[in-house]
Short mmCIF file of all heavy atoms in Angstrom, two decimals:
data_model
loop_
_atom_site.label_atom_id
_atom_site.label_comp_id
_atom_site.label_asym_id
_atom_site.label_seq_id
_atom_site.Cartn_x
_atom_site.Cartn_y
_atom_site.Cartn_z
N GLU A 269 89.77 23.59 -122.78
CA GLU A 269 89.78 22.16 -122.98
C GLU A 269 88.48 21.54 -122.51
O GLU A 269 87.91 20.66 -123.20
CB GLU A 269 90.87 21.54 -122.10
CG GLU A 269 92.24 21.46 -122.71
CD GLU A 269 93.29 21.03 -121.64
OE1 GLU A 269 92.92 20.48 -120.58
OE2 GLU A 269 94.45 21.27 -121.92
N VAL A 270 87.99 21.96 -121.35
CA VAL A 270 86.75 21.42 -120.82
C VAL A 270 85.58 21.76 -121.76
O VAL A 270 84.82 20.87 -122.15
CB VAL A 270 86.43 21.97 -119.40
CG1 VAL A 270 85.08 21.50 -118.94
CG2 VAL A 270 87.53 21.58 -118.42
N ILE A 271 85.50 23.00 -122.11
CA ILE A 271 84.32 23.42 -122.90
C ILE A 271 84.26 22.65 -124.24
O ILE A 271 83.18 22.25 -124.69
CB ILE A 271 84.31 24.98 -123.12
CG1 ILE A 271 84.24 25.63 -121.77
CG2 ILE A 271 83.11 25.41 -123.94
CD1 ILE A 271 84.42 27.15 -121.78
N LYS A 272 85.44 22.43 -124.80
CA LYS A 272 85.47 21.70 -126.06
C LYS A 272 85.06 20.25 -125.90
O LYS A 272 84.67 19.59 -126.84
CB LYS A 272 86.90 21.73 -126.63
CG LYS A 272 87.25 23.04 -127.28
CD LYS A 272 88.60 22.98 -127.89
CE LYS A 272 88.91 24.29 -128.64
NZ LYS A 272 90.31 24.47 -128.96
N ASN A 273 85.15 19.75 -124.70
CA ASN A 273 84.88 18.31 -124.48
C ASN A 273 83.49 18.05 -123.86
O ASN A 273 83.19 16.92 -123.47
CB ASN A 273 85.93 17.69 -123.56
CG ASN A 273 87.20 17.45 -124.34
OD1 ASN A 273 87.15 17.03 -125.49
ND2 ASN A 273 88.33 17.67 -123.73
N ILE A 274 82.67 19.10 -123.76
CA ILE A 274 81.32 18.88 -123.17
C ILE A 274 80.47 18.21 -124.19
O ILE A 274 80.45 18.58 -125.36
CB ILE A 274 80.71 20.23 -122.72
CG1 ILE A 274 81.54 20.85 -121.59
CG2 ILE A 274 79.26 20.05 -122.30
CD1 ILE A 274 81.08 22.28 -121.25
N LYS A 275 79.71 17.21 -123.71
CA LYS A 275 78.86 16.45 -124.64
C LYS A 275 77.49 16.19 -124.05
O LYS A 275 77.32 16.17 -122.85
CB LYS A 275 79.46 15.03 -124.89
CG LYS A 275 80.87 15.05 -125.48
CD LYS A 275 80.84 14.88 -126.97
CE LYS A 275 82.13 14.94 -127.69
NZ LYS A 275 83.19 15.74 -127.29
N LEU A 276 76.52 16.07 -124.94
CA LEU A 276 75.22 15.56 -124.56
C LEU A 276 75.18 14.14 -125.00
O LEU A 276 75.56 13.85 -126.15
CB LEU A 276 74.13 16.26 -125.35
CG LEU A 276 73.57 17.61 -124.85
CD1 LEU A 276 72.68 18.16 -125.95
CD2 LEU A 276 72.76 17.42 -123.58
N GLU A 277 74.75 13.22 -124.20
CA GLU A 277 74.82 11.82 -124.60
C GLU A 277 73.67 11.40 -125.50
O GLU A 277 73.83 10.90 -126.57
CB GLU A 277 74.96 10.88 -123.41
CG GLU A 277 76.45 10.78 -123.06
CD GLU A 277 76.71 9.81 -121.91
OE1 GLU A 277 75.78 9.30 -121.29
OE2 GLU A 277 77.92 9.62 -121.65
N LYS A 278 72.44 11.57 -124.97
CA LYS A 278 71.28 11.08 -125.67
C LYS A 278 70.73 12.18 -126.59
O LYS A 278 69.72 12.81 -126.31
CB LYS A 278 70.18 10.66 -124.68
CG LYS A 278 70.69 9.43 -123.88
CD LYS A 278 69.63 9.03 -122.89
CE LYS A 278 70.28 8.06 -121.92
NZ LYS A 278 69.77 8.18 -120.54
N VAL A 279 71.40 12.38 -127.65
CA VAL A 279 71.10 13.53 -128.56
C VAL A 279 69.73 13.36 -129.20
O VAL A 279 68.92 14.24 -129.23
CB VAL A 279 72.21 13.63 -129.61
CG1 VAL A 279 71.83 14.66 -130.63
CG2 VAL A 279 73.51 14.02 -128.95
N ASP A 280 69.44 12.16 -129.69
CA ASP A 280 68.25 11.97 -130.52
C ASP A 280 66.97 12.07 -129.72
O ASP A 280 66.01 12.63 -130.17
CB ASP A 280 68.29 10.65 -131.25
CG ASP A 280 69.49 10.65 -132.18
OD1 ASP A 280 69.90 11.74 -132.62
OD2 ASP A 280 70.07 9.55 -132.46
N SER A 281 66.97 11.49 -128.53
CA SER A 281 65.74 11.39 -127.80
C SER A 281 65.40 12.62 -126.97
O SER A 281 64.38 12.69 -126.29
CB SER A 281 65.78 10.19 -126.92
OG SER A 281 66.90 10.30 -126.04
N HIS A 282 66.30 13.60 -126.95
CA HIS A 282 66.10 14.81 -126.15
C HIS A 282 66.06 14.50 -124.64
O HIS A 282 65.63 15.34 -123.86
CB HIS A 282 64.80 15.54 -126.53
CG HIS A 282 64.73 16.02 -127.91
ND1 HIS A 282 63.56 16.38 -128.53
CD2 HIS A 282 65.74 16.20 -128.82
CE1 HIS A 282 63.83 16.76 -129.75
NE2 HIS A 282 65.13 16.68 -129.93
N GLN A 283 66.44 13.32 -124.29
CA GLN A 283 66.30 12.92 -122.88
C GLN A 283 67.17 13.72 -121.93
O GLN A 283 66.96 13.72 -120.74
CB GLN A 283 66.61 11.44 -122.72
CG GLN A 283 65.42 10.56 -122.77
CD GLN A 283 65.84 9.12 -122.78
OE1 GLN A 283 66.34 8.61 -123.74
NE2 GLN A 283 65.65 8.45 -121.63
N ASP A 284 68.21 14.34 -122.47
CA ASP A 284 69.16 15.05 -121.60
C ASP A 284 68.89 16.54 -121.52
O ASP A 284 69.73 17.31 -121.01
CB ASP A 284 70.59 14.80 -122.09
CG ASP A 284 71.01 13.37 -121.89
OD1 ASP A 284 70.38 12.69 -121.14
OD2 ASP A 284 72.05 12.97 -122.47
N ILE A 285 67.78 16.99 -122.08
CA ILE A 285 67.48 18.40 -122.08
C ILE A 285 66.03 18.60 -121.63
O ILE A 285 65.15 17.88 -122.10
CB ILE A 285 67.59 19.01 -123.51
CG1 ILE A 285 68.91 18.63 -124.19
CG2 ILE A 285 67.46 20.54 -123.43
CD1 ILE A 285 68.93 19.02 -125.65
N VAL A 286 65.83 19.55 -120.71
CA VAL A 286 64.47 19.96 -120.38
C VAL A 286 64.36 21.44 -120.53
O VAL A 286 65.23 22.19 -120.05
CB VAL A 286 64.14 19.56 -118.90
CG1 VAL A 286 62.84 20.19 -118.47
CG2 VAL A 286 64.11 18.06 -118.73
N PHE A 287 63.34 21.90 -121.25
CA PHE A 287 63.10 23.33 -121.37
C PHE A 287 61.72 23.62 -120.71
O PHE A 287 60.77 22.81 -120.85
CB PHE A 287 63.00 23.75 -122.85
CG PHE A 287 64.30 24.06 -123.48
CD1 PHE A 287 65.51 23.95 -122.79
CD2 PHE A 287 64.39 24.49 -124.83
CE1 PHE A 287 66.74 24.22 -123.39
CE2 PHE A 287 65.58 24.77 -125.41
CZ PHE A 287 66.75 24.66 -124.71
N GLY A 288 61.63 24.71 -120.03
CA GLY A 288 60.36 25.08 -119.39
C GLY A 288 60.04 26.56 -119.60
O GLY A 288 60.88 27.35 -119.99
N GLN A 289 58.78 26.88 -119.37
CA GLN A 289 58.35 28.27 -119.46
C GLN A 289 57.38 28.53 -118.32
O GLN A 289 56.47 27.69 -118.08
CB GLN A 289 57.65 28.50 -120.79
CG GLN A 289 57.40 29.94 -121.13
CD GLN A 289 56.65 30.10 -122.45
OE1 GLN A 289 55.47 29.84 -122.53
NE2 GLN A 289 57.35 30.58 -123.47
N TYR A 290 57.58 29.63 -117.61
CA TYR A 290 56.70 29.82 -116.44
C TYR A 290 55.31 30.33 -116.87
O TYR A 290 55.17 31.06 -117.82
CB TYR A 290 57.33 30.75 -115.39
CG TYR A 290 57.68 32.18 -115.76
CD1 TYR A 290 56.73 33.18 -115.75
CD2 TYR A 290 58.99 32.49 -116.11
CE1 TYR A 290 57.10 34.51 -116.05
CE2 TYR A 290 59.33 33.81 -116.44
CZ TYR A 290 58.37 34.81 -116.42
OH TYR A 290 58.71 36.09 -116.74
N VAL A 291 54.31 29.82 -116.10
CA VAL A 291 52.93 30.24 -116.34
C VAL A 291 52.48 30.97 -115.06
O VAL A 291 53.14 30.88 -114.02
CB VAL A 291 52.00 29.00 -116.63
CG1 VAL A 291 52.40 28.37 -117.96
CG2 VAL A 291 52.03 28.00 -115.51
N ALA A 292 51.34 31.65 -115.18
CA ALA A 292 50.88 32.48 -114.06
C ALA A 292 50.66 31.67 -112.79
O ALA A 292 50.30 30.48 -112.83
CB ALA A 292 49.57 33.13 -114.49
N ASN A 293 50.95 32.29 -111.68
CA ASN A 293 50.66 31.69 -110.39
C ASN A 293 49.72 32.67 -109.64
O ASN A 293 50.17 33.69 -109.14
CB ASN A 293 51.96 31.48 -109.61
CG ASN A 293 51.73 30.72 -108.30
OD1 ASN A 293 50.72 30.85 -107.71
ND2 ASN A 293 52.75 29.99 -107.88
N GLN A 294 48.44 32.33 -109.68
CA GLN A 294 47.41 33.25 -109.14
C GLN A 294 47.64 33.48 -107.64
O GLN A 294 47.54 34.58 -107.13
CB GLN A 294 45.99 32.70 -109.33
CG GLN A 294 45.68 32.21 -110.73
CD GLN A 294 45.70 33.32 -111.79
OE1 GLN A 294 45.82 34.52 -111.39
NE2 GLN A 294 45.61 33.00 -113.06
N GLU A 295 47.98 32.36 -106.99
CA GLU A 295 48.16 32.46 -105.52
C GLU A 295 49.22 33.45 -105.14
O GLU A 295 49.08 34.25 -104.17
CB GLU A 295 48.61 31.09 -105.02
CG GLU A 295 47.86 30.62 -103.82
CD GLU A 295 48.21 29.15 -103.58
OE1 GLU A 295 47.59 28.29 -104.22
OE2 GLU A 295 49.09 28.92 -102.80
#
Side-chain angles (χ1 to χ4, degrees):
E269 273 172 18
V270 174
I271 300 171
K272 284 184 174 163
N273 283 323
I274 294 173
K275 301 264 175 328
L276 273 171
E277 272 183 355
K278 294 179 192 143
V279 173
D280 297 332
S281 57
H282 299 163
Q283 265 173 287
D284 291 344
I285 312 170
V286 170
F287 275 1
Q289 192 182 72
Y290 61 83
V291 295
N293 185 331
Q294 312 294 354
E295 227 169 277

